[in-house]
Amino acid sequence: MDIMDTARPLDGAAVSAFLRSLPAEPLLLGLGEARHFVEELGRSRNEIFRHLVEHEGYRSFAIESDCLKGLVVDDHLATGAGALDEVMERGFSHDFGASPANRELVRWMRAYNEEHDEKLRFFGIDGPLEYWAASPREALTALHALLEGPLPCTRETLDALLGPDEPWTDEATVMDPSRSIGRSADAQRLRLLADDLVTLLDTQAPRLSPKDRERAELYGRTAVGLLRYHHWMADTSPARISRLSALRDAMMADNLRAVAEQGPALVFAHNLHLQRDGSVMTFGDRPLEWWGAGAITATRLGDRYAFLASALGTVGDDAPPPDTVEGMLSELPWDHCLVDARRLADAIADPVPRVSHDFAYFPLDPARLGRIDGVVFVKRAVTPDRPA
């Protein structure tokens, strides 16, 4: 088989043909990033999503960004609340609001909603965390405010147990677990109260509006997830960072399960989070291994989850060797293309793994092509001015 037979230029027809080739219509279509802040990929993503909305019935978009901040964007799309500059600043984490492609996406989604009765939705799927984590205050107090009495505690009790936010958000806890307050007596009590509040939500769900119930469930799983994450930040075992990575992806997977209820949706996050295989990376000199959100979601949804990995050819001055997958794809005549990954695995002979000089780029693993549904390939990308 010729490699040309596995690919076609990236356009709406290619996207629809890809969807028709899948064993089932996906509730979640994951589009992975091989590197964050690649605008060429962001623009291609926007074109894919626009086609999915206009021709395939998609109404939701989800991104690897703070799930609570994402409510700012979703409200803007629904009502026009907030100026676009403010929405981009307050509605994204990880500096993703500075991306021109993300700004254009939000602008287009809002314009679409102004003209259509069936509205588009926006979701953040990440927790309010990186390797450090936010205070659970926002999630806990917002959940508390949506419930009726008798409640397991007062708002004043929550505030007293939470204390100031600074100890919760101390970035030094990433490397020094002794600085974490996640196993303090107050934190342990907060975990019990969070469990009580989530259980109370289940008993009161029928009285809440669909919007309030959706948000209360988001606040509940975020509060529980953050308190669990802080608990394990105080862990001193060698598996600590791998466990934290797994907990973060478990929070993403829970958010993806909620997004799937609004499906079909396009999900945009790093390949490591969306792939079906286990995730592997290094943190300093530590090798990390864990199951990502995509692997968990694929276990839950089966064929209703599909995964498009992305891959880049030349990134800045870093060109792929010709015997790598990216090197072979770079010989195709298109700047952007959509590749059938399983057919590609049969078409190429003994590719070698790429070693990129760009530390933030995660090359395709030739051994994993059979576990990917497709590849969005960008032949040349400008070196981002931010790290991944």
Side-chain angles (χ1 to χ4, degrees):
M1 182 188 302
D2 191 293
I3 190 172
M4 281 283 292
D5 297 330
T6 72
R8 56 190 300 173
L10 180 60
D11 56 20
V15 172
S16 289
F18 166 75
L19 291 177
R20 302 290 94 77
S21 74
L22 297 173
E25 179 183 353
L27 284 171
L28 297 178
L29 173 58
L31 174 56
E33 294 179 276
R35 194 198 199 283
H36 289 318
F37 300 111
V38 174
E39 285 298 302
E40 292 87 351
L41 181 58
R43 290 192 292 269
S44 293
R45 173 209 63 193
N46 290 354
E47 294 171 6
I48 291 170
F49 182 63
R50 181 168 182 164
H51 177 81
L52 291 171
V53 169
E54 295 176 343
H55 299 280
E56 299 292 344
Y58 279 56
R59 293 295 178 266
S60 297
F61 176 83
I63 190 171
E64 182 190 335
S65 182
D66 185 327
C67 56
L68 299 185
K69 290 180 181 293
L71 297 175
V72 174
V73 183
D74 196 49
D75 283 342
H76 173 74
L77 297 184
T79 67
L84 184 56
D85 285 346
E86 177 188 9
V87 171
M88 299 309 297
E89 180 179 354
R90 296 180 51 238
F92 291 83
S93 60
H94 307 92
D95 204 27
F96 291 154
S99 161
N102 285 344
R103 183 185 185 90
E104 175 56 25
L105 177 70
V106 173
R107 188 207 62 75
W108 180 81
M109 291 177 72
R110 173 58 191 157
Y112 182 96
N113 281 356
E114 289 181 311
E115 298 176 359
H116 296 82
D117 292 333
E118 195 173 5
K119 306 303 183 185
L120 303 181
R121 298 289 308 277
F122 180 97
F123 299 92
I125 61 166
D126 205 353
L129 50 84
E130 185 57 66
Y131 279 106
W132 57 94
S135 165
R137 181 186 309 278
E138 179 182 0
L140 275 173
T141 57
L143 173 60
H144 187 276
L146 285 169
L147 299 174
E148 291 184 348
L151 299 175
C153 66
T154 65
R155 168 63 187 269
E156 291 73 22
T157 297
L158 283 181
D159 285 334
L161 291 171
L162 287 161
D165 285 344
E166 288 75 13
W168 292 103
T169 58
D170 182 4
E171 294 182 16
T173 56
V174 175
M175 302 307 297
D176 184 359
S178 69
R179 297 179 67 101
S180 172
I181 63 171
R183 297 189 180 183
S184 66
D186 286 348
Q188 299 285 35
R189 188 176 174 198
L190 284 168
R191 291 187 76 183
L192 292 174
L193 289 173
D195 181 72
D196 285 342
L197 290 170
V198 169
T199 302
L200 187 60
L201 169 60
D202 288 338
T203 70
Q204 295 188 9
R207 73 166 186 81
L208 294 171
S209 69
K211 178 179 179 180
D212 283 347
R213 185 166 60 251
E214 179 185 313
R215 296 208 169 181
E217 290 170 351
L218 171 62
Y219 295 137
R221 63 179 177 267
T222 303
V224 169
L226 280 174
L227 287 164
R228 183 184 297 122
Y229 193 91
H230 278 288
H231 176 88
W232 286 104
M233 286 194 80
D235 182 37
T236 58
S237 76
R240 175 176 178 263
I241 300 297
S242 287
R243 187 188 299 274
L244 292 176
S245 298
L247 289 175
R248 179 187 180 190
D249 270 86
M251 291 180 69
M252 287 189 191
D254 284 343
N255 286 329
L256 283 176
R257 179 154 47 182
V259 173
E261 295 176 2
Q262 312 291 329
L266 180 67
V267 183
F268 190 66
H270 202 283
N271 285 342
L272 286 177
H273 295 305
L274 294 184
Q275 65 191 21
R276 290 189 180 90
D277 289 302
S279 298
V280 180
M281 66 174 289
T282 57
F283 184 81
D285 59 352
R286 305 178 189 181
L288 307 180
E289 296 184 25
W290 74 99
W291 292 104
I296 298 169
T297 300
T299 300
R300 293 170 174 169
L301 294 183
D303 289 341
R304 305 305 302 276
Y305 177 73
F307 172 49
L308 281 168
S310 71
L312 308 177
T314 299
V315 185
D317 295 327
D318 183 28
D323 54 353
T324 64
V325 176
E326 289 96 327
M328 297 177 189
L329 292 176
S330 294
E331 296 301 314
L332 294 171
W334 310 294
D335 291 334
H336 304 78
C337 62
L338 180 56
V339 185
D340 184 320
R342 292 183 173 89
R343 296 183 71 202
L344 178 65
D346 294 333
I348 55 180
D350 300 320
V352 301
R354 179 181 183 181
V355 178
S356 177
H357 299 298
D358 179 357
F359 76 94
Y361 175 64
F362 286 70
L364 279 176
D365 182 349
R368 297 189 177 197
L369 285 176
R371 296 278 292 161
I372 298 170
D373 296 305
V375 176
V376 171
F377 182 70
V378 177
K379 184 178 291 188
R380 179 174 289 277
V382 175
T383 304
D385 57 5
R386 302 174 182 83

